[in-house]
């Protein structure tokens, strides 16, 4: 059955059964034909990882409203690549990733599977947006975000995005956002990164944890600042990490 | 035993037993005290993935020359984080990742575990370099690269790197490089990405493959061009993916 409605591909990194992706699917159904292709299991922290040395399969799930739902035994980027190869019959008009249970603001963009998927869409020439809520809990309340996600999704469907740019959108938890701010990622780093344990047999082992240290807490140019003020934040992201304006400086350092 | 020599942390994504990391360790021993902390198994395509929901352990291996050798049951980024947390007693002066068996030029930077590790070092404030050879084979010949790796490693140890910048260095295969070029990543994308199969039970499955399509093959500003001319290439990489110069443009698109 042909459709003239926009085709929207949805994925995430918390897996096909997460509450956040269900909310995003239901929100996106107002704007077009929706197909979700998401990991069969949680894939937090998978960044832009791809499955190189194992076979991938696609499983079909019960529809959500009129949305077609599939899962893949791989990473968020695998879902985007394989969704386009094996599920969709044409290139999608929009890719939405999320809604992630947890922050992808500041440096978290680089570790985020949610943003890995959005950057993959961008590399494939699809306008792509990652949505995240600053609440890790499985039963996080996504309802207050609906009108903001509708607004952003509508604008990007109508206007598109510049080539090579996708969006990393984060929302504060436990409130209706006061508004939206288009800003840059705050500079900072993770500290106290591991909890230390010992096995019953005396061997040390480690579990990732950590606190994010914001290196510029009062800076109104940054996402972390506006999230702390209960605004939603939109950061334009470029998957191409070449520091184009530093090439001559680096060439100079290598000549010294 | 205290040492005044620089402390060099080495990792990779092909695993602690790969030929490329052994070559890099032997090369680095000329410049300082070397500690290698690398994945216990191949981790190609892991990007900046981190292990969030499983315990990590560190195993000790036989030394290579005077280098101390460890493995971790995780990703390249896990190796950097946990190496600093659990193995090293001070912050390293330099992080080297590789030598990767295979290209990390152009868009491959985003999927590369080799570069994931280098970017992690950069985020932690350590001058960091990823080295790759355009040869996937396990018995690739790294010998012709030695003097080039010595030159780059020496310069960066002496001069450092600007905050927030690391280096993605690639070498052509089967030759002594004609020289080094500091350039940007070529624009392009992967095509024909999956081989299609059917299980004995009639279920389709897929295996990642693909050809890289260089969108600007003759462009002398790019890494792919100079690699095709048998030069080694150095691309400055910024882990922070904010498109800082596009913020007002995106804000405008969202207002329309």
């Amino acid at each position: 059955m042909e459709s003239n409605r926009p085709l929207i591909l949805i994925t995430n990194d918390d897996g096909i059964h997460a509450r956040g992706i269900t909310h995003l699917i239901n929100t996106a159904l107002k704007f077009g034909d929706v197909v979700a292709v998401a990991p069969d299991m949680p894939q937090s922290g998978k960044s832009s990882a791809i499955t190189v040395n194992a076979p991938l399969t696609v499983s079909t799930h019960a529809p959500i409203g009129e949305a077609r739902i599939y899962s893949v035994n791989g990473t968020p980027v695998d879902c985007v690549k394989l969704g386009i190869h094996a599920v969709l019959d044409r290139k999608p008009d929009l890719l939405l990733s999320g809604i992630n249970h947890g922050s992808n603001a500041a440096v978290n963009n680089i570790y985020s599977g949610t943003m890995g998927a959005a950057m993959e869409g961008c590399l494939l020439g699809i306008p792509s947006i990652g949505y995240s809520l600053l609440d890790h809990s499985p039963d996080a309340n996504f309802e207050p975000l609906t009108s903001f996600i509708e607004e952003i999704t509508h604008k990007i469907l109508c206007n598109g995005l510049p080539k090579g740019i996708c969006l990393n959108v984060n929302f504060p938890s436990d409130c209706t956002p006061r508004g939206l701010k288009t800003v840059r990622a705050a500079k900072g780093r993770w500290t106290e990164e591991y909890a230390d344990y010992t096995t019953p047999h005396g061997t040390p082992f480690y579990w990732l944890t950590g606190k994010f240290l914001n290196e510029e807490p009062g800076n109104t140019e940054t996402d972390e600042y506006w999230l702390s003020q209960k605004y939603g934040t939109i950061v334009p992201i470029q998957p191409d990490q070449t520091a184009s304006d530093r090439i001559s400086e680096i060439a100079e350092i290598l000549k010294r």
Side-chain angles (χ1 to χ4, degrees), chain A:
Chain A
M1 194 174 64
E2 291 266 331
S3 164
N4 291 322
R5 305 185 76 202
L7 178 59
I8 303 173
L9 176 60
I10 294 187
T11 191
N12 76 345
D13 76 352
D14 293 311
I16 195 68
H17 301 296
R19 190 165 177 158
I21 196 170
T22 304
H23 193 87
L24 189 54
I25 290 165
N26 282 320
T27 306
L29 278 167
K30 294 161 202 155
F31 298 101
D33 293 340
V34 174
V35 178
V37 183
D40 60 354
M41 290 195 303
Q43 295 278 314
S44 287
K46 289 291 183 189
S47 186
S48 289
I50 48 177
T51 300
V52 179
N53 290 316
L56 294 174
T57 55
V58 180
S59 301
T60 306
H61 296 254
I64 296 177
E66 295 190 359
R68 291 157 54 200
I69 311 294
Y70 302 89
S71 69
V72 167
N73 60 332
T75 67
V77 170
D78 291 336
C79 290
V80 175
K81 286 183 184 288
L82 195 53
I84 288 168
H85 176 80
V87 177
L88 302 182
D89 52 12
R90 62 185 175 93
K91 188 172 165 180
D93 300 292
L94 186 69
L95 182 145
L96 304 179
S97 182
I99 307 168
N100 190 58
H101 295 238
S103 173
N104 281 318
V107 71
N108 298 313
N109 186 76
I110 203 171
Y111 307 113
S112 164
T114 305
M115 287 309 301
M119 289 193 281
E120 183 64 24
C122 180
L123 287 169
L124 296 170
I126 305 160
S128 299
I129 310 169
Y131 289 115
S132 304
L133 173 65
L134 273 63
D135 183 345
H136 270 104
S137 62
D139 61 349
N141 179 18
F142 296 97
E143 205 52 56
L145 319 181
T146 307
S147 65
F148 295 91
I149 291 176
E150 285 176 355
E151 179 186 339
I152 297 166
T153 302
H154 174 71
K155 298 271 179 165
I156 301 307
L157 256 180
C158 293
N159 301 326
L161 278 170
K163 190 171 193 272
I165 304 286
C166 57
L167 301 184
N168 181 5
V169 180
N170 285 268
F171 294 106
S173 62
D174 296 324
C175 66
T176 298
R178 288 172 159 182
L180 295 172
K181 295 283 181 183
T182 306
V183 288
R184 68 168 171 81
K187 297 196 188 305
R189 60 196 162 83
W190 285 91
T191 60
E192 303 169 40
E193 291 211 289
Y194 290 93
D196 297 5
Y197 299 87
T198 306
T199 68
H201 314 294
T203 310
F205 67 99
Y206 309 90
W207 209 293
L208 193 66
T209 170
K211 289 183 189 172
F212 178 70
L213 179 74
N214 183 353
E215 289 175 0
E216 40 183 3
N219 192 323
T220 59
E221 293 177 2
T222 68
D223 54 358
E224 290 286 347
Y225 175 81
W226 288 107
L227 287 163
S228 76
Q229 301 299 308
K230 302 295 181 187
Y231 283 76
T233 58
I234 301 165
V235 174
I237 294 289
Q238 49 194 7
D240 181 349
Q241 291 169 305
T242 304
S244 296
D245 55 346
R246 312 297 283 271
I247 291 173
S248 55
E249 181 184 354
I250 297 298
E252 208 49 52
I253 287 173
L254 291 164
K255 267 185 215 148
R256 268 179 221 158

